[in-house]
Amino acid sequence: MDSDCLSLLPAVCLVLADPKQSPPDDTSLEKLLDWFKELHSQSNGQVLLQHQPCLLEFISNVCTSKTTDPAILSFTLKLTGLLAATTQGFNLLDEGGLLVYVFEREAWGVCDLWEDASVRSGWLQGLLDMLKHQQALGFICGNGLIKVILQLQNDRSLFVACLANQLLVHILNFLTSSNMTSGSDVVGSSESSLRPDWVSASSEIMNAVVEALSSEDCPRVLQGLRLLSLVLSQCGEPIISTLWKDVLVPLEVFVNRGSESLIQTLITVLEAALGTPLLSQSEYKVEELLEAMLGDGNRKECFQCAALIVKLEKCPEVLKRKATDIILLPLQCVSTQPQAEKEINVVLKEQLSQKASCISLLMQSLSSLAQLAHTKYLFEDISIHSITSSVALLLRMCSGHCPSSLLHINAFTHLIGCCKVQRCGLDTLGALSVYEENLDLRKDIFGVLLDYLQSPDSHATVLKKTFQAVKRWIVCSPFPDLLQFISHDLFPVLEKRMCDLRWEVRDSTLEFITQLTAALNGNSGFSEALHTSGMVSVLLSSLADAEGYVRASAVAAVGEAVTASFHQTVLVSNSKLLEDALMQMMAILSQDTEGFPRRAVVQAFTSWLKGSHLIMALESSLSSVLSLGGSDFDWEVKMHTLELAEVLMEKTLTCCPYAVQNFGSSEETRFTQALIKFKDFGLFDLLFNSLFDCDRPVCEKACALLVKLGTLTAETADLDHSILVLNVCGNRWGDEVQRRYLNKQQAKASVCVTNGVTGSDEGTDCDLHCTKDISLPKILQILDLDDMQRMLTLSSDHVVNSPRSLMEDILSAAQQSEENIVDCY
Amino acid sequence: MNLHSFLWTLKSPAVNDDLSLCVCVQYCLSGHPTLPCNVLKFKSTTIMLDCGLDTTAALYFLPLPLVHSPRLSKLPGWVSKDGAINLEKELKECSGRVFVDSQPEFCLPEKELLDLSTIDVILISNYHCMMALPYITEHTGFTGTVYATEPTLQIGRLLMEELVTFMERVPKAQAATCWKNKEIQRLLPGPLKDAVDVWSWRKCYSVQEVNSALSKVQLVGYSQKVELFGAVQVTPLSSGYSLGSSNWIIQSHYEKVSYVSGSSLLTTHPQPMEQSSLKNSDVLILTGLTQIPTANPDGMLGEFCSNLSMTIRAGGNVLVPCYSSGVIYDLLECLYQFMDSANLGSTPFYFISPVANSSLEFSQIFAEWLCQNKQSKVYLPEPPFPHAELIQTNKLKHYPSIHGDFSSEFRQPCVVFTGHPSLRFGDVVHFMELWGKSSLNTIIFTEPDFSYLDALAPYQPLAMKCVYCPIDTRLNFHQVSKLLKDIQPLHVVCPEPYTQPPPAQPHRSDLMLELQPPPMSYRRCSVLGLPFRRRYERIHLLPELARSLVPSEIKAGVSVATVSAVLQSKDNKHVLQPVPKPAPVPPSKKRKRVMEEPPEVLNPKPLLSGAVPLEPFLATLHKNGITEVKVEETADGHILHLQTEDVLIQLEEDATHIICDNNEPLRTALRDLVLRFLQKL
């Protein structure tokens, strides 16, 4: 393939360098670069430039041309960088002075092109790609390119500025690693250990950072801080400590000034510093700076800062505690009575009195709390009990209840009906369920959650969050106490919600029931409550919902309910439930006009089959499901049907109780019996039909299953072929099998004729085309499944997506445009 | 500009009362925020704004069963514990409460606050707010006109007729009055003991009274300007609450009062609310906000549907006590979509009311009063409301009463919509008796006018489930604050309850009106002087008079002219006409009728403008030989004492007085000196 492409390369280079041609689109050029990258990585030391001199010519032409397009120049810069990434390539380009010509923008045919951001970006990318060896570093330092890169760091294009920062970090990093590999001092060594020509380069970059940080220009400061954080996270010593010493003073100024626009970036810098050895050395004041950012919780910015610090992974414990105390302040202030002795936080009070800042502060507070809860953080100064009560109270306030003692903060009216805070609060409340200390608050928590479930004003998304929280609290609580709550309080609400006007609510209610049933799988108390409370009949009636998504969720819920019913002591209603469920589900699979419910039905069967209890009961329906699912017009239904077939195969072939009962003792007999069973279920029809389906994933899956079956068949020596004969007439796959077989026969016959051989040992096979029945092993053999599988694994666009096709496209587009020009005249 | 009156006094023309500054007064005859009845005295007109009938008094009475109810007929009479008061015939004990056993009565608007015969017009905002009309128009000497839109009149008529039918179908022989005796009432158990103004409660009116009252209604359309005696103009605007519901603009040339009553910003069936015309009001009278501010109508509708669906699925019946017009249209529309999706398509709906048929049909013909969406259906042509299809497909059936066809066609489980929402009269009483004992059935309250617990009190103990989903689409406090921010009236007048949080939720400061300046609040029997004074009146100049004016510019862009004319006031319109020229004196020798000749019209003296500067004036006096001048500064200007001449000259901002005794030549001389500094018009 590559050799084909390489033969096209000269022509492509000519087209690209031709200023009369309009350049191909960016995607084509990027794909072409990708191909070069791939070639480069596979080159095994061979240098592309040596074999393809057209590339040198192309690069030179583009740079000297007076009419080069910016896109082509940018491409050329990137390509040159890529080609110069090896020392040999670099030398080849450098020999004729071409490299300087490319990266020295004054030398270009059109200087104005530098104004185009794509060209600047290509220039930086080229250097970045090239910087793989010391010669490249020498080239950059020696030609004064550092200065240009530093200018580009403040470029108006964010992409260029970002790339410049990356390049600078790469240079610094390269300086350090080159230094280290050159065998000089280890980490912590002084600047003097660096090679003198590189010292100036590194100090130029570091001085630029310090200058940027001392600037009054906010965007410049931000870029400086970004570079600093990159250096901290990507570079090693001695760069880090050297730079940090120089920037510490301006950093302290920023922190003390508390400028809002810099907070996020400052935190990123400090976060990066936390991951370095700087943290352990007190003179570098990393912790001190972070602490200063928090202040006493009396600054407007400290909450945002605290929220960010709480998220930090490597954060000193003391600092995290302080940040936690601060981030909890808004929540506590709104939901607890003020203590006379405690000084009232004026800044906080003012922010809470304005709607926008109140909501944002509380959401910060809540989401930080949720994050802490996810790690099961141990709170020290404040009990988790009181925090959880505060969240519950806040949620009550959001639905309009407020004890008069809390009216000291004018936040209450902002909160009533505020979905954002409700959702966030419910998430947090759910997360707080992990603390065992909260167990005695359960009644209160369930009260709040139940209020939300009952409230007619609860938004659909709020209800969804409520369901999630309820599930978390139920799952983590000791169960016997909960039965009362579930059957007397929760189920009636769920029943009502399943009749909700909004389909989203009906859907999330059913999803909740499914999840809850699955989570409490094996809990006989719950299963019994589910059946005795009448919930199951409500679930069954939801199978006829007008909305497809709801029907799908109802199918899943019924599926779980059926599974659950088999965990409890046998109830008379169980078989009735399965019977009803099967009847309605089969009706959905055969008649439902929407795909989701049909997919859900097949999935429910799969999940039933995975459990060991239901196989006997499902036997009568399985062949219908396989047949209906396999002939569905929705490809996902077909995929799920194949997954069902896979589970069926696994279960039957791996000695499940059901399989053992009927089969004889020997492995072979059992296998044969299993195959006969598959035939009865219509499994082979499903697999062969799917193999020739119009949807590639379906074919792929069917093919994989058939390959598995083929392997097993081949392994079974004394398989009686006559028992496993399939009818190949009257269906699509049978025709295909016959056609392939005939093709093979004809090929074989022609070989025989050429060789002068007549007759064959396999003469009996010649009659195959006129027979209807072929044995399974024979069919598997004819189909050449391995080859089919290989073809199917290639993506459907593998032909049109190849580099060759890309190059041909570029060439033919050029040709067409020439023809068009002729047409115009 | 100050006109300088100098030795010249304006002789005012004969001033009509209307031209004097006057105050606008509001008499509040009802304290009920959503059943208002106010009277506005504005520019010599007396306008009643709505006349709502408070039917909650019916809750003190026993239900009127349509079919003989053994339970209700066997209730024990009430005798005080000591046996001293025996009202066995009037009061019955039922489920631990005492009810009046008589035809239910209603609380009327206050009649004693002002003479209702002086009312010139009554403006009706919606059909719920006109139910007391016969009490006002028939028994007070009222001779005016009632203005209402056509749907308001027609549906209002239906509601009145329904009320009359409900009462007349179950006649009660006796009227209970003894219990109203103050001495007896205070000894009764609650809540009867606490009922107020019981002597003003009245029985329902008759059909004749309804017809007579409604014959006084003059129909108006939205934005139609109606002149009242030339003094004020009233205009109904769509209020978005119900079919034909209106807010009213009452305005003169320089004053504007807006009356906002029962408005809605939700997208339901009526035409949307017209807001922009309410801008620039001096006073906005705000009534009829939602009665259940914590219940969001959308949420309640959802609640209604899910409860209904749950009951039907479980095999129970649903009873919806409701008015025969209004929210029922939206409920039916919502159910039309919901029932199929909830797989309850075969469940029958019954709408039982003496006016059910008319209500359903009327709703379909008032196309121009409907929201745009429904209006456009009419041109397809399709019925605007989907209940037509429900009727066609036999899913919705309507009957005048439970008697007759209904009893033979009735099929359960079903949904029944019927009145009256108070549960004291109407067909609903029968269903309460019929279904109350089964817990499978559900009663869903959707009308917000009555406390559902009070409504259910005589039916206790009750097994059927009760669901309270009040659907009140009227403005809530959040919407009204936004509306007021937009239209910015100078002053807002509202019922007292709107100025404080609901008593049950004292912390909900968001459920009250917080305005700057604070709203003026009223309660029953309040008399408010509305906070604006009329300052201007429009007067027309006849063209020939206008032509005769000679304006002179007194400063850039401002010209002034004097006008001499005769002011004619007729039908509250004022016109300045040229002064009739004196008839040429006939060459008659006889001069007997001198007295009858028009008065001689003298050319008016010129008007003066400008100011007399002190220093230059003193200099002028000095130049004219007046040297001894003592100047005294006053609050308004200066007093100059010409000591030799013993003359005082008072120089003020807008007047100059020369006070001298019998020295006319000196006065004239001084006057001329002053005039030098002033400009003549």
Side-chain angles (χ1 to χ4, degrees), chain B residues 475-535:
Chain B
L475 295 174
N476 62 30
F477 286 95
H478 178 70
Q479 291 166 330
V480 91
S481 322
K482 222 171 148 196
L483 175 75
L484 292 176
K485 250 182 213 168
D486 284 349
I487 59 176
Q488 296 199 318
L490 292 181
H491 299 279
V492 173
V493 178
C494 67
E496 198 174 38
Y498 296 167
T499 58
Q500 51 216 18
Q505 289 150 306
H507 59 286
R508 293 293 296 263
S509 58
D510 58 319
L511 304 182
M512 60 181 277
L513 284 179
E514 278 187 296
L515 302 170
Q516 254 340 303
M520 288 181 76
S521 67
Y522 67 82
R523 53 172 79 172
R524 192 177 166 104
C525 293
S526 296
V527 179
L528 301 181
L530 295 190
F532 69 91
R533 291 177 73 82
R534 296 188 45 242
R535 300 168 67 89

Side-chain angles (χ1 to χ4, degrees), chain A residues 599 602-603 606 629-630 632 634-646 686 690 693 695-702 705:
Chain A
R599 289 176 208 167
V602 183
Q603 280 172 306
T606 311
D632 202 285
D634 180 303
W635 74 271
E636 285 195 55
V637 175
K638 289 186 278 198
M639 280 300 280
H640 290 309
T641 312
L642 288 170
E643 277 158 21
L644 174 68
E646 189 175 17
L686 168 75
S690 304
D693 197 89
D695 290 302
R696 194 175 57 85
V698 176
C699 310
E700 215 178 333
K701 180 84 189 168
L705 293 180

